[in-house]
Amino acid sequence: MEKPFKRRDLLGIRDLSAEEIKGILDTAENFREINAREIKKVPTLRGKTVINLFFENSTRTRTSFELAAKRLSADAVNISISSSSVAKGETLIDTALNLDAMSPDCIVVRHGSAGVPHQLAKVSKAAIINAGDGTNEHPTQALLDAMTIREHKKKIADLEVAIVGDILHSRVARSNIQLLTKLGARVRVAGPKTLVPDDFQYLVEKDLIVCKNIEEAIEGTDVVMILRIQKERQDSAYFPTLREYSIHYGLTHERLNLAKEDAIVLHPGPMNRGIEIASDVADSSRSLILDQVKYGVAVRMAVLYLATGGTASSE
Ligand code: CP
């Protein structure tokens, strides 16, 4: 298998070319079938070590990185921050240097501050994978979203994609806006004015369409991506109440009917049911939320494989 990704670290979508993104997605396609086997394990990364260093909570990302490593036969170690020496005051860089001294091949890091994976990449010999840094980027989420879209729409170029909700605090939005426009989709964003930054155009070369309401964003789209209201990052009152947010920006069937008949619904999770998305929409046949999670394992297998320099076949 030819390696399409010649970098050591995966820090953000911003650094990647369209060719590199397609290369990761194609590699993930090769790994996908392993997850449907009865014995979900191949020797591809035997002898490699992956450390999961999560300073923020996670269900999907952490579990799927661990499963991805284990299904490729790498040794996977999860570090719990509450029981690590970070709780005794050890600095981030000292923690990274000490982990690096144990010769892991890859460190997957999630942190509440933007730029932490970039800092670790400067001091670590291991490949650093960004599993979400503050409000900056969540590159593997955007990759698994792209894999889900590609699977169901058979392309990404020329699709109309609406991203709705808390754009300001969303690393998922930042990574997706960059990835989707690099692959030729047209992206529209909508949310309360206080949660849609004026300066987002800097992220992309093509026009980013800022819509005045959710209806305008959804009208005629192929993909509707709903973002979580990030209560943990709301340091001021961006909207009056959650109920009011839900009334003006919640995705209901009525609103979804403005999109194309075959439009699909994505949400990165965890969902606030009844706030940004109605439960019956989340559970409908147009919702691919659990497919996103399923493809997350294949995408993370591909990222670990490419970043750790594995060269064995995925068969
Ligand atoms: N989408 C996502 O990052 O989910 P987790 O926070 O559960 O990892």
Side-chain angles (χ1 to χ4, degrees), residues 54 57-62 110 138 141 172 268-270 300:
F54 277 55
N57 295 341
S58 169
T59 297
R60 283 146 285 268
T61 313
R62 199 172 96 153
R110 170 173 287 190
H138 192 349
Q141 178 69 44
V172 175
R300 284 156 184 146

